[in-house]
Amino acid sequence: MRSNAPQRLFEGLPFDIHFEVVRHLDFMSALNMASTNRFFHRILNLPAILPNSELVEFIRERGMAGQNRAENLFACYQCYRLRPREKFSKKATADRLHHRHKLTEEGRRYCFDCSAKNRFYDHLRPISNGKLRYYFCHNCGQYRTRSGMCHGPRRGIDQGDGEMLAWCQPKPATPEGGLEMLPAHILKNIVSYLGYDDALHLAMVSHTLRDTVPPIKWVALHTRFRFLRDRWTADTVDVDIGAMKTFPCYMCCRIQPKDKFTPTQLRMAETYPQTSWKMRCQACVQRMYISERNLMRIEYNRRRMCEICKCLRRGRETCGGCLELYVKGAIDQRTMYPEGLGRKRDYGDHLNRLDGLFDGQDWVEA
Ligand SMILES: [Zn+2]
Ligand SMILES: [Zn+2]
Ligand SMILES: [Zn+2]
Ligand SMILES: [Zn+2]
């Protein structure tokens, strides 16, 4: 195609000129340029071109942004990526959790992968990420738990004559591939189309997926709600509300024993069964009132019950349940947007494009 000839002209310039251009940009603009096409993505190595201070400033700003804090992402000042909390040692993330920001200010937080490459941790000294305790081996560069850790001194450094031999665990037979290699935002997109049980199963596939995929955040609200409601209804069919032993918590998406709920919550569920979607367990209630601007509380206050599809939706957002019904052809545009037609929305056009992606059968819920 000849239509992109001007773009080729710019690409055809010598690398020195690209280099000079990027050097005069701020990090965000340089990032945009590197993501223009495959060519620039390949030749522009931003950490090598831009001054270190620029990168540190950018990643620090992103790490402190409210959205990334809510997703529990932390900045790594070595690979300049935002990574989940489980990818850091407990010490490296403790400072932000306790509002001290010492490591953030000094730009000294490194993820497990970067620490391994640079051998930042001592040989076979335990390191915890808050969930599991790992032992890092300098010989093979792998993190292992206690049951499967390597043994012996460092080869060629601590090993003298007649000393014990170093012995490493074999590498796992199934290397990480496919899904694990995808960036988090693409995984998030995939998971948003899955059912809640499928997302839970996906998170059980490997350590990496368990650390990266939070089903409770990534699965659509109406899907989670429907899963929980149907599961609970099936469990408690033909049981009187007073005799029920379990109740669902729609905040943490779990069916919990009755004693995990406050008497107020139980009384409300009994008196007003139509608002039972407000049920929250005691732990969630406590977490919601821990501070003034709590994200969980904001989320709770935005929730509404959709009159059309009887699913949970968020105020001022298109109802996901209704959107599914609309794609299936069960409701028309007028039902879906009773107040929005005056503004001449053309969602129909967008939705028609989905038809080729899914054959109608797949959309019918079992
Ligand atoms: Zn890193
Ligand atoms: Zn080893
Ligand atoms: Zn809960
Ligand atoms: Zn709806």
Side-chain angles (χ1 to χ4, degrees):
M1 293 269 275
R2 300 227 54 85
S3 59
N4 54 4
Q7 195 189 350
R8 281 200 184 158
L9 265 181
F10 184 57
E11 280 177 32
L13 292 171
F15 175 68
D16 294 11
I17 296 188
H18 293 146
F19 183 87
E20 280 303 318
V21 169
V22 174
R23 248 166 39 103
H24 285 87
L25 296 177
D26 62 59
F27 187 76
M28 201 57 216
S29 316
L31 207 60
N32 286 338
M33 184 171 157
S35 43
T36 328
N37 60 21
R38 205 169 284 203
F39 174 76
F40 284 122
H41 183 74
R42 200 181 64 237
I43 65 159
L44 297 177
N45 181 6
L46 299 184
I49 302 175
L50 290 172
N52 202 30
S53 55
E54 190 107 17
L55 291 160
V56 169
E57 196 39 54
F58 176 78
I59 198 74
R60 174 186 300 154
E61 208 178 282
R62 297 311 304 148
M64 302 287 271
Q67 185 196 3
N68 293 322
R69 292 174 66 111
E71 299 260 347
N72 234 344
L73 294 172
F74 288 78
C76 167
Y77 292 95
Q78 190 79 27
C79 57
Y80 302 109
R81 282 191 292 173
L82 293 167
R83 314 207 66 188
R85 188 178 156 198
E86 289 75 21
K87 289 280 172 198
F88 295 89
S89 73
K90 197 176 166 189
K91 253 189 190 164
T93 51
D95 70 317
R96 191 174 86 182
L97 298 177
H98 297 118
H99 309 285
R100 285 200 299 270
H101 306 299
K102 194 165 141 269
L103 291 175
T104 315
E105 264 143 41
E106 292 169 17
R108 281 196 305 118
R109 184 188 296 116
Y110 311 121
C111 68
F112 274 155
D113 294 341
C114 295
S115 306
K117 276 183 208 147
N118 296 286
R119 303 287 192 266
F120 284 147
Y121 297 128
D122 291 341
H123 182 56
L124 299 184
R125 176 82 56 82
I127 326 133
S128 164
N129 68 353
K131 282 184 182 169
L132 282 174
R133 185 173 292 174
Y134 294 106
Y135 294 81
F136 179 66
C137 168
H138 278 224
N139 292 329
C140 61
Q142 300 280 317
Y143 291 94
R144 302 286 179 163
T145 49
R146 189 174 178 83
S147 58
M149 66 189 275
C150 306
H151 294 279
R154 289 182 292 174
R155 278 193 206 105
I157 301 172
D158 304 333
Q159 209 174 21
D161 287 335
E163 277 191 43
M164 63 184 283
L165 290 173
W167 181 74
C168 279
Q169 292 282 353
K171 288 200 174 163
T174 47
E176 292 191 342
L179 281 175
E180 278 98 341
M181 305 296 285
L182 289 175
H185 68 277
I186 294 182
L187 261 181
K188 186 175 177 178
N189 217 338
I190 295 174
V191 173
S192 70
Y193 288 104
L194 295 182
Y196 191 55
D197 45 350
D198 289 333
L200 287 175
H201 290 149
L202 181 69
M204 283 180 209
V205 170
S206 68
H207 273 293
T208 312
L209 284 176
R210 195 200 58 189
D211 292 345
T212 333
V213 177
I216 196 164
K217 284 183 188 159
W218 287 3
V219 175
L221 176 64
H222 67 278
T223 319
R224 273 183 283 150
F225 170 74
R226 212 159 35 193
F227 173 81
L228 208 63
R229 184 196 56 193
D230 295 350
R231 183 59 68 90
W232 181 60
T233 323
D235 284 354
T236 55
V237 71
D238 294 336
V239 182
D240 188 62
I241 194 155
M244 283 178 190
K245 290 200 169 62
T246 54
F247 285 91
C249 167
Y250 291 109
M251 289 315 288
C252 59
C253 276
R254 271 184 282 191
I255 293 176
Q256 308 226 39
K258 195 175 179 176
D259 58 356
K260 298 275 178 196
F261 292 83
T262 56
T264 323
Q265 289 284 324
L266 294 172
R267 199 175 54 242
M268 294 286 276
E270 205 164 339
T271 330
Y272 310 102
Q274 68 276 20
T275 58
S276 66
W277 54 272
K278 291 187 176 179
M279 283 291 278
R280 296 160 288 163
C281 68
Q282 198 164 6
C284 286
V285 174
Q286 272 172 3
R287 228 172 292 150
M288 279 168 69
Y289 290 94
I290 218 162
S291 68
E292 196 51 39
R293 281 173 52 80
N294 187 283
L295 283 170
M296 208 166 163
R297 199 155 101 212
I298 296 172
E299 157 78 20
Y300 175 77
N301 288 334
R302 284 181 68 196
R303 286 187 179 182
R304 309 272 180 279
M305 175 51 70
C306 177
E307 290 303 317
I308 301 161
C309 64
K310 304 289 174 211
C311 274
L312 275 188
R313 58 185 284 247
R314 293 195 186 92
R316 286 184 290 162
E317 241 177 49
T318 308
C319 170
C322 289
L323 201 62
E324 272 182 21
L325 289 178
Y326 181 73
V327 173
K328 281 186 223 167
I331 56 170
D332 59 6
Q333 199 177 356
R334 193 175 295 275
T335 322
M336 190 166 160
Y337 301 107
E339 79 289 351
L341 277 177
R343 275 178 271 154
K344 269 207 174 284
R345 299 188 184 199
D346 54 354
Y347 296 100
D349 288 352
H350 296 292
L351 288 166
N352 286 339
R353 288 187 211 151
L354 291 171
D355 285 354
L357 285 174
F358 311 99
D359 57 56
Q361 288 303 312
D362 285 347
W363 280 84
V364 180
E365 291 286 322

PDB file of all heavy atoms in Angstrom, residues 12 22 55 62 74 85 108 134 143 156 164 180 221 224 241 244 292 327 331 342 360:
ATOM      1  N   GLY A  12      12.540   5.846   7.485  1.00  0.00           N
ATOM      2  CA  GLY A  12      13.742   5.667   6.678  1.00  0.00           C
ATOM      3  C   GLY A  12      14.925   6.515   7.137  1.00  0.00           C
ATOM      4  O   GLY A  12      16.049   6.323   6.674  1.00  0.00           O
ATOM      5  N   VAL A  22      14.044  11.188  20.158  1.00  0.00           N
ATOM      6  CA  VAL A  22      13.534  10.597  21.403  1.00  0.00           C
ATOM      7  C   VAL A  22      14.186  11.248  22.621  1.00  0.00           C
ATOM      8  O   VAL A  22      13.535  11.460  23.639  1.00  0.00           O
ATOM      9  CB  VAL A  22      13.767   9.066  21.405  1.00  0.00           C
ATOM     10  CG1 VAL A  22      13.387   8.468  22.739  1.00  0.00           C
ATOM     11  CG2 VAL A  22      12.944   8.417  20.316  1.00  0.00           C
ATOM     12  N   LEU A  55      12.852   8.021  33.783  1.00  0.00           N
ATOM     13  CA  LEU A  55      12.150   6.750  33.948  1.00  0.00           C
ATOM     14  C   LEU A  55      11.679   6.581  35.382  1.00  0.00           C
ATOM     15  O   LEU A  55      10.539   6.190  35.637  1.00  0.00           O
ATOM     16  CB  LEU A  55      13.083   5.598  33.595  1.00  0.00           C
ATOM     17  CG  LEU A  55      13.449   5.471  32.124  1.00  0.00           C
ATOM     18  CD1 LEU A  55      14.700   4.662  31.954  1.00  0.00           C
ATOM     19  CD2 LEU A  55      12.306   4.821  31.389  1.00  0.00           C
ATOM     20  N   ARG A  62       3.346   6.655  38.323  1.00  0.00           N
ATOM     21  CA  ARG A  62       2.349   5.634  38.004  1.00  0.00           C
ATOM     22  C   ARG A  62       2.080   4.749  39.222  1.00  0.00           C
ATOM     23  O   ARG A  62       0.960   4.346  39.477  1.00  0.00           O
ATOM     24  CB  ARG A  62       2.810   4.750  36.834  1.00  0.00           C
ATOM     25  CG  ARG A  62       3.010   5.436  35.505  1.00  0.00           C
ATOM     26  CD  ARG A  62       1.860   6.303  35.080  1.00  0.00           C
ATOM     27  NE  ARG A  62       0.602   5.609  35.023  1.00  0.00           N
ATOM     28  CZ  ARG A  62      -0.570   6.171  35.287  1.00  0.00           C
ATOM     29  NH1 ARG A  62      -0.633   7.434  35.650  1.00  0.00           N
ATOM     30  NH2 ARG A  62      -1.665   5.473  35.214  1.00  0.00           N
ATOM     31  N   PHE A  74       2.688  -2.511  42.288  1.00  0.00           N
ATOM     32  CA  PHE A  74       3.842  -1.779  42.801  1.00  0.00           C
ATOM     33  C   PHE A  74       4.846  -1.571  41.675  1.00  0.00           C
ATOM     34  O   PHE A  74       4.970  -2.409  40.787  1.00  0.00           O
ATOM     35  CB  PHE A  74       4.494  -2.558  43.938  1.00  0.00           C
ATOM     36  CG  PHE A  74       3.693  -2.554  45.205  1.00  0.00           C
ATOM     37  CD1 PHE A  74       2.590  -3.379  45.342  1.00  0.00           C
ATOM     38  CD2 PHE A  74       4.028  -1.722  46.255  1.00  0.00           C
ATOM     39  CE1 PHE A  74       1.840  -3.379  46.500  1.00  0.00           C
ATOM     40  CE2 PHE A  74       3.284  -1.710  47.419  1.00  0.00           C
ATOM     41  CZ  PHE A  74       2.190  -2.536  47.542  1.00  0.00           C
ATOM     42  N   ARG A  85       1.652  -7.354  43.937  1.00  0.00           N
ATOM     43  CA  ARG A  85       2.369  -7.347  45.211  1.00  0.00           C
ATOM     44  C   ARG A  85       3.137  -8.649  45.457  1.00  0.00           C
ATOM     45  O   ARG A  85       4.197  -8.637  46.067  1.00  0.00           O
ATOM     46  CB  ARG A  85       1.324  -7.136  46.306  1.00  0.00           C
ATOM     47  CG  ARG A  85       1.909  -6.909  47.646  1.00  0.00           C
ATOM     48  CD  ARG A  85       0.816  -6.654  48.643  1.00  0.00           C
ATOM     49  NE  ARG A  85       1.279  -6.974  49.976  1.00  0.00           N
ATOM     50  CZ  ARG A  85       0.484  -7.173  50.991  1.00  0.00           C
ATOM     51  NH1 ARG A  85      -0.805  -7.085  50.838  1.00  0.00           N
ATOM     52  NH2 ARG A  85       0.965  -7.458  52.168  1.00  0.00           N
ATOM     53  N   ARG A 108      14.078   2.397  45.041  1.00  0.00           N
ATOM     54  CA  ARG A 108      14.871   1.193  45.309  1.00  0.00           C
ATOM     55  C   ARG A 108      14.005  -0.041  45.497  1.00  0.00           C
ATOM     56  O   ARG A 108      14.311  -0.888  46.312  1.00  0.00           O
ATOM     57  CB  ARG A 108      15.713   1.397  46.558  1.00  0.00           C
ATOM     58  CG  ARG A 108      16.973   2.222  46.346  1.00  0.00           C
ATOM     59  CD  ARG A 108      17.935   2.057  47.482  1.00  0.00           C
ATOM     60  NE  ARG A 108      17.328   2.365  48.768  1.00  0.00           N
ATOM     61  CZ  ARG A 108      17.199   1.476  49.737  1.00  0.00           C
ATOM     62  NH1 ARG A 108      17.624   0.259  49.588  1.00  0.00           N
ATOM     63  NH2 ARG A 108      16.631   1.821  50.881  1.00  0.00           N
ATOM     64  N   TYR A 134      10.266 -18.070  50.166  1.00  0.00           N
ATOM     65  CA  TYR A 134      11.098 -18.632  49.097  1.00  0.00           C
ATOM     66  C   TYR A 134      12.562 -18.637  49.500  1.00  0.00           C
ATOM     67  O   TYR A 134      13.000 -17.843  50.339  1.00  0.00           O
ATOM     68  CB  TYR A 134      10.963 -17.803  47.817  1.00  0.00           C
ATOM     69  CG  TYR A 134       9.597 -17.846  47.205  1.00  0.00           C
ATOM     70  CD1 TYR A 134       8.738 -16.751  47.306  1.00  0.00           C
ATOM     71  CD2 TYR A 134       9.159 -18.968  46.523  1.00  0.00           C
ATOM     72  CE1 TYR A 134       7.471 -16.782  46.743  1.00  0.00           C
ATOM     73  CE2 TYR A 134       7.894 -19.007  45.946  1.00  0.00           C
ATOM     74  CZ  TYR A 134       7.061 -17.916  46.064  1.00  0.00           C
ATOM     75  OH  TYR A 134       5.819 -17.944  45.507  1.00  0.00           O
ATOM     76  N   TYR A 143      13.762 -19.464  42.432  1.00  0.00           N
ATOM     77  CA  TYR A 143      13.168 -19.351  43.759  1.00  0.00           C
ATOM     78  C   TYR A 143      12.464 -20.674  44.064  1.00  0.00           C
ATOM     79  O   TYR A 143      11.728 -21.175  43.224  1.00  0.00           O
ATOM     80  CB  TYR A 143      12.132 -18.243  43.799  1.00  0.00           C
ATOM     81  CG  TYR A 143      12.707 -16.864  43.680  1.00  0.00           C
ATOM     82  CD1 TYR A 143      12.803 -16.241  42.444  1.00  0.00           C
ATOM     83  CD2 TYR A 143      13.135 -16.171  44.799  1.00  0.00           C
ATOM     84  CE1 TYR A 143      13.326 -14.968  42.325  1.00  0.00           C
ATOM     85  CE2 TYR A 143      13.657 -14.890  44.682  1.00  0.00           C
ATOM     86  CZ  TYR A 143      13.749 -14.292  43.443  1.00  0.00           C
ATOM     87  OH  TYR A 143      14.257 -13.036  43.340  1.00  0.00           O
ATOM     88  N   GLY A 156      31.909 -22.417  42.606  1.00  0.00           N
ATOM     89  CA  GLY A 156      33.019 -21.595  42.137  1.00  0.00           C
ATOM     90  C   GLY A 156      33.293 -20.384  43.016  1.00  0.00           C
ATOM     91  O   GLY A 156      34.248 -19.659  42.793  1.00  0.00           O
ATOM     92  N   MET A 164      31.306 -29.951  50.595  1.00  0.00           N
ATOM     93  CA  MET A 164      30.119 -30.615  50.041  1.00  0.00           C
ATOM     94  C   MET A 164      29.754 -30.020  48.678  1.00  0.00           C
ATOM     95  O   MET A 164      30.017 -28.850  48.401  1.00  0.00           O
ATOM     96  CB  MET A 164      28.945 -30.518  51.004  1.00  0.00           C
ATOM     97  CG  MET A 164      28.478 -29.100  51.260  1.00  0.00           C
ATOM     98  SD  MET A 164      27.172 -29.026  52.471  1.00  0.00           S
ATOM     99  CE  MET A 164      25.788 -29.560  51.511  1.00  0.00           C
ATOM    100  N   GLU A 180       0.550 -17.179  30.547  1.00  0.00           N
ATOM    101  CA  GLU A 180       1.375 -16.508  31.564  1.00  0.00           C
ATOM    102  C   GLU A 180       2.205 -15.375  30.962  1.00  0.00           C
ATOM    103  O   GLU A 180       2.570 -14.436  31.650  1.00  0.00           O
ATOM    104  CB  GLU A 180       2.319 -17.492  32.241  1.00  0.00           C
ATOM    105  CG  GLU A 180       1.689 -18.285  33.350  1.00  0.00           C
ATOM    106  CD  GLU A 180       1.264 -19.640  32.890  1.00  0.00           C
ATOM    107  OE1 GLU A 180       1.138 -19.815  31.657  1.00  0.00           O
ATOM    108  OE2 GLU A 180       1.050 -20.517  33.736  1.00  0.00           O
ATOM    109  N   LEU A 221     -19.330  -7.635  36.933  1.00  0.00           N
ATOM    110  CA  LEU A 221     -20.164  -7.625  38.145  1.00  0.00           C
ATOM    111  C   LEU A 221     -21.405  -8.506  38.008  1.00  0.00           C
ATOM    112  O   LEU A 221     -21.713  -9.304  38.882  1.00  0.00           O
ATOM    113  CB  LEU A 221     -20.549  -6.176  38.466  1.00  0.00           C
ATOM    114  CG  LEU A 221     -21.492  -5.966  39.641  1.00  0.00           C
ATOM    115  CD1 LEU A 221     -20.852  -6.408  40.945  1.00  0.00           C
ATOM    116  CD2 LEU A 221     -21.904  -4.504  39.751  1.00  0.00           C
ATOM    117  N   ARG A 224     -20.578 -12.262  38.200  1.00  0.00           N
ATOM    118  CA  ARG A 224     -20.289 -12.689  39.568  1.00  0.00           C
ATOM    119  C   ARG A 224     -21.573 -12.811  40.376  1.00  0.00           C
ATOM    120  O   ARG A 224     -21.794 -13.784  41.083  1.00  0.00           O
ATOM    121  CB  ARG A 224     -19.382 -11.663  40.250  1.00  0.00           C
ATOM    122  CG  ARG A 224     -17.923 -11.898  40.014  1.00  0.00           C
ATOM    123  CD  ARG A 224     -17.124 -10.890  40.776  1.00  0.00           C
ATOM    124  NE  ARG A 224     -17.118  -9.598  40.136  1.00  0.00           N
ATOM    125  CZ  ARG A 224     -17.016  -8.439  40.769  1.00  0.00           C
ATOM    126  NH1 ARG A 224     -16.953  -8.402  42.072  1.00  0.00           N
ATOM    127  NH2 ARG A 224     -16.983  -7.321  40.098  1.00  0.00           N
ATOM    128  N   ILE A 241     -36.053 -19.068  55.422  1.00  0.00           N
ATOM    129  CA  ILE A 241     -34.918 -18.148  55.626  1.00  0.00           C
ATOM    130  C   ILE A 241     -34.356 -18.205  57.055  1.00  0.00           C
ATOM    131  O   ILE A 241     -33.147 -18.069  57.260  1.00  0.00           O
ATOM    132  CB  ILE A 241     -35.285 -16.695  55.208  1.00  0.00           C
ATOM    133  CG1 ILE A 241     -34.019 -15.840  55.095  1.00  0.00           C
ATOM    134  CG2 ILE A 241     -36.286 -16.066  56.175  1.00  0.00           C
ATOM    135  CD1 ILE A 241     -34.126 -14.676  54.179  1.00  0.00           C
ATOM    136  N   MET A 244     -31.857 -21.154  57.322  1.00  0.00           N
ATOM    137  CA  MET A 244     -30.706 -21.226  56.410  1.00  0.00           C
ATOM    138  C   MET A 244     -29.394 -21.172  57.177  1.00  0.00           C
ATOM    139  O   MET A 244     -29.240 -20.391  58.103  1.00  0.00           O
ATOM    140  CB  MET A 244     -30.752 -20.054  55.421  1.00  0.00           C
ATOM    141  CG  MET A 244     -31.758 -20.258  54.333  1.00  0.00           C
ATOM    142  SD  MET A 244     -31.783 -18.845  53.271  1.00  0.00           S
ATOM    143  CE  MET A 244     -33.221 -19.217  52.282  1.00  0.00           C
ATOM    144  N   GLU A 292     -12.393   6.890  55.513  1.00  0.00           N
ATOM    145  CA  GLU A 292     -13.430   7.753  54.965  1.00  0.00           C
ATOM    146  C   GLU A 292     -13.642   7.492  53.480  1.00  0.00           C
ATOM    147  O   GLU A 292     -14.757   7.279  53.026  1.00  0.00           O
ATOM    148  CB  GLU A 292     -13.009   9.218  55.208  1.00  0.00           C
ATOM    149  CG  GLU A 292     -14.108  10.244  55.052  1.00  0.00           C
ATOM    150  CD  GLU A 292     -15.372   9.919  55.833  1.00  0.00           C
ATOM    151  OE1 GLU A 292     -15.300   9.417  56.989  1.00  0.00           O
ATOM    152  OE2 GLU A 292     -16.441  10.163  55.271  1.00  0.00           O
ATOM    153  N   VAL A 327     -27.786  -8.479  22.976  1.00  0.00           N
ATOM    154  CA  VAL A 327     -27.051  -9.194  21.932  1.00  0.00           C
ATOM    155  C   VAL A 327     -27.802 -10.463  21.531  1.00  0.00           C
ATOM    156  O   VAL A 327     -27.871 -10.828  20.361  1.00  0.00           O
ATOM    157  CB  VAL A 327     -25.619  -9.527  22.415  1.00  0.00           C
ATOM    158  CG1 VAL A 327     -24.900 -10.397  21.420  1.00  0.00           C
ATOM    159  CG2 VAL A 327     -24.838  -8.246  22.628  1.00  0.00           C
ATOM    160  N   ILE A 331     -34.148  -8.405  24.283  1.00  0.00           N
ATOM    161  CA  ILE A 331     -34.741  -7.085  24.522  1.00  0.00           C
ATOM    162  C   ILE A 331     -34.315  -6.150  23.399  1.00  0.00           C
ATOM    163  O   ILE A 331     -33.292  -6.388  22.751  1.00  0.00           O
ATOM    164  CB  ILE A 331     -34.323  -6.483  25.896  1.00  0.00           C
ATOM    165  CG1 ILE A 331     -32.799  -6.407  26.016  1.00  0.00           C
ATOM    166  CG2 ILE A 331     -34.928  -7.241  27.036  1.00  0.00           C
ATOM    167  CD1 ILE A 331     -32.333  -5.608  27.213  1.00  0.00           C
ATOM    168  N   GLY A 342     -33.212   9.673  23.267  1.00  0.00           N
ATOM    169  CA  GLY A 342     -33.263  11.057  22.821  1.00  0.00           C
ATOM    170  C   GLY A 342     -31.909  11.555  22.325  1.00  0.00           C
ATOM    171  O   GLY A 342     -31.826  12.401  21.467  1.00  0.00           O
ATOM    172  N   GLY A 360     -24.923 -17.644  17.855  1.00  0.00           N
ATOM    173  CA  GLY A 360     -25.995 -17.375  18.806  1.00  0.00           C
ATOM    174  C   GLY A 360     -26.107 -18.381  19.943  1.00  0.00           C
ATOM    175  O   GLY A 360     -26.423 -18.020  21.067  1.00  0.00           O
TER     176      GLY A 360
END
